[in-house]
Amino acid sequence: AGTLLQAYQIAAQAPDSDSMDEAQAWTDYGEWFTQCMGSIDQLRLKKMRVNTRGKDSAIWVRGKSGQTAAAWQAQWESIAHFLASDSADTCTPSNDAVARSFTDLLRSRGHLAPATQLAQQLATTRRAVHAARPQAASSVLRAQHSIAALHTLASDMGARLFDFSQGFTDADGD
């Protein structure tokens, strides 16, 4: 993701540069978007559930790795930063010439209603993830449902509005 971020930032800083054409920038951004969708799946399906595969993994560090509210929140904040950039997104367009997040990209292309819808779902999901506690199964379930709704919404917008296709991710279970 770091390489994709660098490529995107270079393209954004020098839009008339021959170093990257627009088609390549869209390809790179689409890949970055797909990675974000995979991270959402990872958080919901692997991190917010104990993945023991029928075994007691409590004795192994990997069995507990990522199973804390702090770990969930840290992963969530990196996902949210890509999707909204500002954790207090007010659904207003950025004055910057460069789209710093997926919601900024939506707005910059005239997709104001979808950007607002995404920002609202992000706020709902943020509250759910921050309220989730491993000891309270119902709070984890609420967060998982909200994350699933966000994934569905964002991936639909990426596919429908920007033709970002999604292949397999690590969360597919392969």
Side-chain angles (χ1 to χ4, degrees), residues 7 10 12 38-39 53 62 65 69 83 88 94 106 109 127 148 154 173-174:
I10 289 168
S39 293
R53 296 184 180 159
R62 71 175 179 244
S65 177
L83 292 173
S94 170
L106 289 166
R109 298 295 178 169
R127 286 189 300 274
D174 296 333

Side-chain angles (χ1 to χ4, degrees), residues 83-86 88-96 99-120 122 161-162:
L83 292 173
S85 192
D86 179 8
D89 193 326
T90 58
C91 303
T92 57
S94 170
N95 290 330
D96 295 334
R100 301 196 184 284
S101 68
F102 187 62
T103 53
D104 281 351
L105 179 62
L106 289 166
R107 291 179 187 123
S108 72
R109 298 295 178 169
H111 303 295
L112 302 180
T116 299
Q117 185 181 13
L118 182 61
Q120 290 168 344
L122 279 161
L161 302 173
F162 299 108

Side-chain angles (χ1 to χ4, degrees), residues 9 19-20 24 28-29 64 73 75 78 101 132 143 162 172:
Q9 288 173 335
S19 64
M20 180 177 292
Q24 184 61 48
D28 291 342
Y29 194 89
K64 298 232 181 223
Q73 291 169 14
Q75 184 168 349
S78 66
S101 68
F162 299 108
D172 292 330

Side-chain angles (χ1 to χ4, degrees), residues 27-170:
T27 299
D28 291 342
Y29 194 89
E31 175 64 27
W32 198 22
F33 179 82
T34 300
Q35 290 293 323
C36 179
M37 296 298 100
S39 293
I40 290 172
D41 282 340
Q42 285 279 336
L43 177 60
R44 181 176 65 93
L45 298 173
K46 290 188 176 181
K47 300 289 176 91
M48 295 187 95
R49 286 190 185 170
V50 177
N51 186 10
T52 63
R53 296 184 180 159
K55 301 174 189 167
D56 180 13
S57 66
I59 60 172
W60 304 103
V61 173
R62 71 175 179 244
K64 298 232 181 223
S65 177
Q67 298 295 319
T68 66
W72 299 341
Q73 291 169 14
Q75 184 168 349
W76 164 254
E77 289 304 323
S78 66
I79 292 166
H81 184 74
F82 171 76
L83 292 173
S85 192
D86 179 8
S87 63
D89 193 326
T90 58
C91 303
T92 57
S94 170
N95 290 330
D96 295 334
V98 176
R100 301 196 184 284
S101 68
F102 187 62
T103 53
D104 281 351
L105 179 62
L106 289 166
R107 291 179 187 123
S108 72
R109 298 295 178 169
H111 303 295
L112 302 180
T116 299
Q117 185 181 13
L118 182 61
Q120 290 168 344
Q121 182 60 46
L122 279 161
T124 299
T125 304
R126 178 175 280 112
R127 286 189 300 274
V129 170
H130 281 273
R133 296 292 177 265
Q135 308 84 351
S138 63
S139 70
V140 175
L141 191 57
R142 276 191 299 277
Q144 288 174 320
H145 284 285
S146 189
I147 291 167
L150 174 67
H151 182 275
T152 299
L153 180 65
S155 61
D156 175 65
M157 287 178 183
R160 185 171 38 88
L161 302 173
F162 299 108
D163 200 28
F164 295 152
S165 63
Q166 293 186 37
F168 294 101
T169 69
D170 290 338

